[in-house]
Structure formats: C-alpha cells, structure tokens
Amino acid sequence: MGSCHGHQMCAIAAPEVFGSDELGNATVLIAGDIPAELEGKARRAEANCPERAIIISE
Amino acid sequence: MTDTRKPVESLLTDYDIFEPSFIANPYPGYSEIRESECPIAHTDRYQGSWLPTRYEDVVALAQEYEVFTSRGILVMPPPPGQAEGAYGGVAAPPITSDPPDHHWHRRLILPVFAPQAVAKYEQGTKDLCNALIDEFIDKGTADAAADYAQHIPVRVISTMLGVPFDMEEEFTDWVRGVLENMHDLERRKRSRQSIIEFFLAQVEDRKKNPRDNDLITELLNTEVEGKKVPIEYVLGVCNLMLVAGIDTTWSAIGSVMWHMAQHPEHRKQLRENDDLWPTAIEELLRVYAPVTMARIVDRDIEFQGCPMKAGDRVLMAFPAANRDPRQFENPDEVILDREHNRHVAFGSGIHRCAGSNLARLEVRIALQTWLERIPEFELVDPASVTWAGGQVHGPRSCMVKF
Ligand code: HEM
Ligand code: SF4
C-alpha cells in the first residue's frame, strides 16, 4: 500500500475487504486469499483507486 | 460591476477562468481544449498560467511534486507585497507545504479526519440540516445554495475548531474574499488579515484556558522531535480549515442540490436503493468537482511538449480531468452506480484532500436529510441560478420550489 493516500474509495467499493487505519489510509481486513463471493467487489476497489495502489494478484 | 475584460480570442492561448460564462459553465471550454491539438492551454492573463485538461496529464503533474511545487496554490497570484501562499509568515499547511515538511504537516492532522474520527459529526450535521430546513419548509420555496448549502460546512468547521456559530457570517465573508473574489486584491488582503487575527486571539485564549477535546489546544500541545510545533503551524492549520473546508464543501452540496432539482429519476433511484448512496456521492463529486488548485514550476521543464519555465503557474484542473472521455465513459452523464470511478475531485498524490471523509459525510447527510423532508422539488427558474468559479465552482443562488 506504498502509494496509498487515503482516498478511501476502496473501502467504499468493498467495505468487507478494505478498512482504514487511524490516519485514514487503507488496511486490508482479510488475511490470505479473497473469498470468491468478494472477488467482484475487490476488483471494483482495484478499479476505483485513484493512486493505483491496489494490485490483486491471481 | 461593469465587465471591462477583453474578449477571449482563443481558449488555447487566451483562456480566462474568471470570464462570467466560463464561471457558470466551464465544461464546454475544458472539452474544447482537451480535444484540440494542444490539450494544455496557456494564457497570459493574471500573470500567466497553463491549463492541462486531460486526466492523465493532471494526475502526472500531481505526482511530480518536486517540479510542480505547492508554494503557490491559488489560481491567481497574491497581491503585490504579499508573499506567495503566506500572510505575515502564516501559510496553510499542509496544502502550501512541500516535502520534507509536508510530511509532518499532513501527518499531524490526518487522525482528525480519518473515517472513524469524522463519524462523530454525523448526528450534529443531521441536526443542523434539519434546523435549516425548519426555517423554510413551510414557505414552499428556498434558496438551496444560500439558505441551505452555504450554512452547513461553516458550522461543522466551527464545531471542530471550538469557535462560536455566530462567527458564521464573518467566516463566510473572509473565505469568499480569499477564494472567490481573489481578483479584488484589497478584499483578499483584508480577508487574510482578519482570518489570522481571529485565530491569533483564539490561540492566545487556548494558551490561557486550555480545553479538553479541543483541536486548537491539542495542536498547541503537539510535539515534533521533542519540540512544540511553532505557533505559525497552528495558525496555518486553522486558516486551512476555513479556506479548504468551507467554500469547497458548500459548493459541492450546492451543485448536488442543483442537479437533484432537475433529476427526479435520480431522486427516485436514491429513495429506492440505500446501497446506492456511497457510489452515488462519488459520482456526483466526480461530475461536479468544485476545486481547481495551482502549482508553481520549480525549474524549466518541457511537459508534454509545453515549454514550462521556472515560476510559471499550472492550474490543476481536477474538474476537467474528471470529465475526460479517455478515463470515463460518457463523462458528462451522471451515472449513480458507475462501476469505474477513479475520480480526482479530491486531488491526487501527496496533497490529496485530507478532509475528504468529512466532506463526503457532509454532502451525503445534506442530501439525505433534504430528500427525507422534501422528496420532490424543482428549480424556480434555471436561468436565475448564479455561480462562483475560478478556484472553487458551485452555485451561489439556486431558488427551488416544492
Ligand atoms: C467536497 C469538498 C472538498 C473538495 C472537493 C476538496 C478538494 C481538495 C483538493 C482537490 C485538494 C488537493 C489540493 C492540491 O492538490 O493542491 C484538497 C486538499 C486538502 N483539503 Fe480538501 N476538499 C474538500 C473538503 C475539505 C474539507 C471539509 C476539509 C477539512 C476541513 C479539507 C481539507 C483539506 C486539506 C487539509 C488539504 C491539504 C492536504 C495536503 O496538502 O496534504 N478539504 N482538497
Ligand atoms: S482507494 Fe487507493 S489510495 Fe485510497 S485508501 Fe484505498 S488504497 Fe488507499
């Protein structure tokens, strides 16, 4: 999350996957693989981050 | 006021961001520049500036903070004799700060604006919106900008700063003096002076009478590397809260009200689908992004073929970037459930808006509360709506009936 600047658009797109630390920067709420039912939302978060800070690996 | 400005010859070489038709509706102009052979326009007006209009260029400029510095962030230079970005040594950190200081200037205020931290203002904002609506609901008509939008952010900020609501009129006047009416140099200078003097008195008061849960008291007690932060920093942050938090958010709320007055189908969509709200707010912020910032070029550089010189001003036209068809399908259309929305209404990179979670909350509560109480409404006369523009774009009068 090096280039995260706290837009919080990831948490808006996928609140189950992304949260916020006390500075408003993104945290990942899920350890390990993203469950299949949340994959769509997580992809949407990836596509909405203005800093392109989120990269979902296969 | 008679308009003595010289007519614009070509947008590409002579744009005028304070020209009345550009203020009211800048989007056709942005689009003309964006689709021309030169998507970064230049003007000699107001001591000269560059105007990039493509998403990719605006974002690239925002990331290059060493070349495109924030020592001047106003779209028009300050009055003669007044330092860039500062009044008597008081700036508006972190917005006017460059690295390395920018980092701690920003870091110190971030916790105040994190999503968890701003959630506590939700109920107060709602109560405040309801109280404003109580004033006019029986009349069947209201100015959605001047009677409603304008009063919301200024009261939220007053609450955060622990200063009385009765400063509302002065705050509003000062902020407009600094931002909207910046071409009136005397007023601009006077407004800046009033802001600093007001907060100087507040700071003196907090030093004598520290308060609990009070932002100014906390800032005064903050230490960086074992030393109390300088008083200029505390004053600067207070100054910033006014200039960054009031006009911007009120303009966004006003534009959203103006839009909703004309789109019953969008009101219906929001009424019927609670889950739509978060993406809808982002979409409205994309289309009606109110804020344009500036940068000062640090050294001669060629950017996308444009020969930029040290000291040149570059306008960060986030509203233009947000309507670039290369980045957004049907960019001029409001699509409340838009899937891909990397909008930059709040900027991009290290200066990206620190107050965005608060701004979003205010815009959402303002619209939700209004729609609960006044589900159906329309513009009295579209032609009578008046706008502010330049640095901050939004309606200043917007009569609606219900
Ligand atoms: C809809 C409302 C708002 C919009 C559209 C907006 C937009 C922006 C933009 C575009 C920037 C980037 C400036 C740059 O690149 O030079 C910015 C910075 C900033 N905004 Fe906002 N803003 C809004 C509301 C607020 C509020 C309510 C606050 C807090 C009270 C706030 C505090 C800040 C701060 C502290 C910065 C500077 C961050 C830095 O330089 O690190 N903003 N805002
Ligand atoms: S959208 Fe991107 S920049 Fe914003 S909080 Fe999420 S990861 Fe960070």
Side-chain angles (χ1 to χ4, degrees):
Chain A
M1 289 273 167
S3 49
C4 173
H5 287 293
H7 292 246
Q8 286 298 316
M9 281 150 94
C10 50
I12 288 168
E16 299 87 346
V17 185
F18 297 97
S20 147
D21 64 15
E22 83 287 359
L23 297 181
N25 289 330
T27 52
V28 180
L29 304 174
I30 291 177
D33 289 349
I34 299 166
E37 72 275 12
L38 291 178
E39 198 178 320
K41 282 193 172 180
R43 294 261 172 227
R44 188 164 171 165
E46 184 181 28
N48 277 274
C49 172
E51 309 289 344
R52 297 175 192 265
I54 302 173
I55 295 150
I56 297 175
S57 40
E58 296 297 328
Chain B
M1 193 173 75
T2 47
D3 195 19
T4 52
R5 61 189 65 239
K6 129 178 123 49
V8 172
E9 281 165 22
S10 155
L11 276 178
L12 296 187
T13 54
D14 186 36
Y15 65 82
D16 181 355
I17 52 165
F18 291 106
E19 193 266 316
S21 71
F22 195 85
I23 284 183
N25 182 8
Y27 306 109
Y30 288 147
S31 173
E32 188 183 322
I33 297 169
R34 197 191 295 113
E35 302 313 319
S36 76
E37 72 284 0
C38 182
I40 304 179
H42 186 269
T43 192
D44 288 331
R45 292 172 193 257
Y46 315 113
Q47 301 180 41
S49 63
W50 300 91
L51 176 62
T53 51
R54 291 193 183 173
Y55 181 92
E56 202 186 333
D57 291 343
V58 173
V59 170
L61 284 158
Q63 304 292 335
E64 286 284 336
Y65 54 83
E66 283 177 359
V67 180
F68 303 101
T69 70
S70 288
R71 53 181 177 254
I73 45 137
L74 296 177
V75 299
M76 201 180 147
Q82 228 172 296
E84 187 80 59
Y87 176 79
V90 173
I95 215 166
T96 47
S97 319
D98 287 310
D101 283 345
H102 173 266
H103 181 72
W104 75 260
H105 286 176
R106 180 180 171 92
R107 171 73 181 69
L108 286 190
I109 59 163
L110 282 179
V112 180
F113 296 112
Q116 313 84 299
V118 299
K120 67 169 176 286
Y121 298 105
E122 174 148 353
Q123 190 57 45
T125 307
K126 196 165 171 87
D127 295 345
L128 145 69
C129 291
N130 270 315
L132 290 168
I133 295 172
D134 287 342
E135 296 282 320
F136 52 66
I137 190 156
D138 294 332
K139 292 192 203 145
T141 163
D143 189 328
D147 297 337
Y148 191 61
Q150 181 179 327
H151 301 282
I152 301 167
V154 64
R155 294 193 193 175
V156 174
I157 295 288
S158 299
T159 309
M160 287 187 90
L161 290 170
V163 301
F165 273 2
D166 63 17
M167 284 307 293
E168 176 177 341
E169 241 173 80
E170 279 91 344
F171 281 175
T172 305
D173 182 63
W174 298 342
V175 170
R176 296 183 77 162
V178 178
L179 291 176
E180 283 170 31
N181 299 302
M182 58 172 72
H183 37 271
D184 180 347
L185 300 183
E186 258 317 299
R187 180 171 171 191
R188 180 159 151 189
K189 197 168 164 184
R190 225 179 327 113
S191 303
R192 298 188 71 127
Q193 194 158 358
S194 306
I195 294 175
I196 299 311
E197 281 166 8
F198 174 79
F199 283 113
L200 202 52
Q202 293 290 317
V203 164
E204 287 308 318
D205 168 70
R206 298 305 194 288
K207 277 188 182 160
K208 287 196 210 90
N209 314 299
R211 299 186 196 169
D212 288 334
N213 293 322
D214 175 67
L215 184 60
I216 298 179
T217 307
E218 277 163 27
L219 284 171
L220 285 169
N221 291 333
T222 307
E223 293 188 358
V224 172
E225 288 166 7
K227 280 207 304 252
K228 286 255 169 80
V229 297
I231 189 104
E232 289 79 14
Y233 173 76
V234 180
L235 287 172
V237 169
C238 296
N239 176 31
L240 173 78
M241 299 269 291
L242 287 200
V243 295
I246 295 182
D247 218 3
T248 52
T249 315
W250 139 37
S251 299
I253 296 172
S255 293
V256 167
M257 298 306 301
W258 175 78
H259 175 87
M260 286 297 159
Q262 301 171 84
H263 291 276
E265 76 285 8
H266 287 158
R267 300 199 296 264
K268 182 163 180 285
Q269 255 182 299
L270 285 171
R271 242 188 340 262
E272 289 172 357
N273 186 356
D274 268 349
D275 296 341
L276 192 58
W277 278 87
T279 44
I281 295 297
E282 295 310 302
E283 173 67 348
L284 291 161
L285 285 166
R286 179 187 70 81
V287 176
Y288 299 114
V291 178
T292 299
M293 298 300 287
R295 295 289 187 269
I296 303 286
V297 180
D298 181 64
R299 50 181 178 269
D300 294 3
I301 189 174
E302 186 170 304
F303 181 82
Q304 297 287 32
C306 298
M308 298 182 177
K309 295 266 176 296
D312 279 3
R313 195 169 294 265
V314 183
L315 307 189
M316 305 297 285
F318 300 117
N322 274 356
R323 294 200 186 206
D324 183 348
R326 290 157 197 79
Q327 179 70 19
F328 304 97
E329 258 176 68
N330 301 321
D332 293 320
E333 214 181 301
V334 172
I335 303 170
L336 294 181
D337 59 354
R338 188 179 283 275
E339 280 262 344
H340 292 176
N341 189 1
R342 276 194 172 111
H343 78 79
V344 286
F346 293 119
S348 164
I350 62 166
H351 288 285
R352 201 255 156 204
C353 183
S356 66
N357 299 305
L358 180 66
R360 285 180 175 124
L361 177 141
E362 291 183 50
V363 176
R364 173 173 56 80
I365 298 289
L367 181 59
Q368 265 171 351
T369 312
W370 179 289
L371 289 181
E372 278 165 22
R373 308 263 317 261
I374 309 176
E376 297 302 334
F377 61 107
E378 60 187 305
L379 294 179
V380 170
D381 169 18
S384 72
V385 177
T386 62
W387 297 83
Q391 191 106 34
V392 183
H393 175 74
R396 290 298 169 263
S397 170
C398 177
M399 289 303 298
V400 298
K401 58 183 181 202
F402 37 88

